[in-house]
Amino acid sequence: MTRIKVGVLASGRGTNLQAIIDASESGKIDADIVVVISDKKDAYALERAKKHGIPAYFVDPKGKSREEHEKEIDEILRKYNVDLVVGAGYMRILSPWFIRRWYGKIINIHPALLPSFKGTDGQGDALRYGVKITGCTTHFMDELPDHGPIILQAAVKVKDDDTRDSLAERILKVEHQLLPRTIQLFAEGRLKIEGRRVKILPGDSWKEKYETYPDVLYCEGY
Ligand code: GAR
């Protein structure tokens, strides 16, 4: 099977990036991470990329319009012939211009069960709201933040004594499963967008192949 080329956008410490680098290097996914781009100069995600010999770019948003900033990002992604763009903790809203250029080839991971708790603190917002179950979601990006067609979801229980960080930590472990699985489904050509719904074409199941957490509910397609 031919391997797809993935470009990653990340603003932070990059544990999701690490999960997909590891999945790529171990052959769990038919994808190579060919470039990592950050809007934050000191994002640890850039260090992680360098450690694995992956080109890492800081694209400074300062003094630029959103489109100017994104044009630079777009040029880098095209230079590396990226097949799929992955938002892995990228905390900047992308413009309709950028999204239209990549629609169907740009995905994101969010630490809540969308459409609940969009935004930059999905875990804290879920805890404060008092939900008993939250989780994480991968989705195709569209012109509205945290809104595009949903690919995979997994549900995580909120415990009585959870803090924002303990909950975030449990969700993160599941994110590290969902994101590589989503990339693999894309690489296998098994994701079909039908309006708001994403049909997952038949094939293998990671539930049967790899470890899962007994108290997490994984959606069909995982
Ligand atoms: C992850 O929890 C990701 O879901 C979240 O940021 C974190 C990045 O962690 N993304 C969002 O909240 C997007 N709205 P990481 O840098 O360790 O991968």
Side-chain angles (χ1 to χ4, degrees), residues 12-201:
R13 65 200 157 152
T15 66
N16 276 291
L17 168 67
Q18 190 67 52
I20 59 183
I21 291 173
D22 293 347
S24 169
E25 289 183 351
S26 68
K28 202 170 171 183
I29 60 175
D30 297 304
D32 293 312
I33 318 308
V34 295
V35 65
V36 174
I37 302 171
S38 184
D39 58 330
K40 295 271 190 294
K41 193 175 182 182
D42 53 0
Y44 191 62
L46 294 173
E47 293 305 314
R48 291 183 193 268
K50 286 179 204 155
K51 281 185 189 167
H52 289 264
I54 299 167
Y57 291 80
F58 160 57
V59 181
D60 196 348
K62 222 181 288 164
K64 293 167 199 160
S65 70
R66 190 153 66 163
E67 278 211 9
E68 281 166 351
H69 181 236
E70 291 175 355
K71 272 200 177 109
E72 282 183 43
I73 295 175
D74 184 68
E75 270 168 31
I76 297 168
L77 293 169
R78 288 183 195 274
K79 179 176 156 199
Y80 287 90
N81 289 315
V82 161
D83 301 301
L84 175 69
V85 181
V86 175
Y90 189 68
M91 294 308 202
R92 196 169 284 275
I93 291 172
L94 292 162
S95 72
W97 173 81
F98 188 87
I99 295 292
R100 276 198 291 269
R101 277 178 83 73
W102 289 96
Y103 188 72
K105 293 190 267 180
I106 182 163
I107 63 169
N108 186 44
I109 181 138
H110 185 75
L113 290 176
L114 291 175
S116 292
F117 311 117
K118 298 172 178 176
T120 55
D121 189 18
Q123 308 96 326
D125 290 342
L127 189 68
R128 281 185 290 275
Y129 194 90
V131 294
K132 303 289 188 185
I133 293 176
T134 181
C136 50
T137 302
T138 56
H139 65 95
F140 284 105
M141 291 170 95
D142 73 2
E143 295 182 18
L144 298 172
D146 301 325
H147 176 270
I150 288 169
I151 305 169
L152 295 177
Q153 291 188 305
V156 173
K157 281 182 202 165
V158 180
K159 295 181 181 169
D160 279 349
D161 59 354
D162 259 330
T163 60
R164 190 256 171 216
D165 288 349
S166 66
L167 178 60
E169 186 62 29
R170 267 201 330 288
I171 295 171
L172 194 62
K173 289 198 173 124
V174 185
E175 293 183 44
H176 296 164
Q177 299 178 314
L178 237 55
L179 189 57
R181 172 58 171 169
T182 303
I183 293 171
Q184 182 59 13
L185 288 169
F186 183 92
E188 290 175 6
R190 288 171 59 191
L191 300 178
K192 200 159 167 256
I193 305 178
E194 294 178 345
R196 270 217 57 87
R197 304 194 69 178
V198 177
K199 195 166 163 193
I200 299 174
L201 302 178

